[in-house]
Amino acid sequence: RLAEQEQGLKARDERIAELTTTCEEYRELNETSEQRFADLQTFMKAKCDEADEVARQLERERTLRLQQSDQLAHHVMLIRDLKHQLSQAEDAHEQMEEVGRKHDAVVAQ
């Protein structure tokens, strides 16, 4: 009977040792998992920050392109206006030359 009790205690101690080992292994896995999760969070935050910076840069570039487009449209309008003024000045010059020729013709008579 004593041998049976000792055998039972020995089996119980072995089981406790196995469970303790298993518990330690799970504890280590949990700590590793928590560290990996923390590392992943840090990595993801860095990537989100990077994506935010890229988005801000793209917005700055878009704004700059819109400003350049507005400036280009303004320059095109100025060029059209200058061409129109040049055309009017050429017409006026031709009219003045015609008046000058008529004047010369009258004076020559």
Side-chain angles (χ1 to χ4, degrees), residues 47-64:
K47 288 299 176 188
C48 287
D49 291 347
E50 187 178 320
D52 289 344
E53 181 54 35
V54 168
R56 284 190 292 274
Q57 179 63 30
L58 288 173
E59 182 59 27
R60 286 190 294 269
E61 289 173 9
R62 186 184 75 80
T63 300
L64 180 61

Side-chain angles (χ1 to χ4, degrees), residues 79-90:
I79 290 169
R80 286 182 181 155
D81 187 47
L82 288 172
K83 286 173 84 174
H84 179 68
Q85 289 177 22
L86 177 61
S87 176
Q88 288 178 331
E90 288 172 341

Side-chain angles (χ1 to χ4, degrees), residues 18 32 59 61 64 70 80 87 95 103 106 108:
E18 286 175 11
T32 301
E59 182 59 27
E61 289 173 9
L64 180 61
D70 289 348
R80 286 182 181 155
S87 176
Q95 290 174 359
H103 178 267
V106 169

Side-chain angles (χ1 to χ4, degrees), residues 21-37:
T21 301
T22 301
C23 185
E24 287 299 319
E25 289 170 353
Y26 283 133
R27 190 172 290 126
E28 288 173 12
L29 284 173
N30 188 42
E31 288 172 2
T32 301
S33 269
E34 287 174 358
Q35 184 57 50
R36 285 184 180 164
F37 182 72

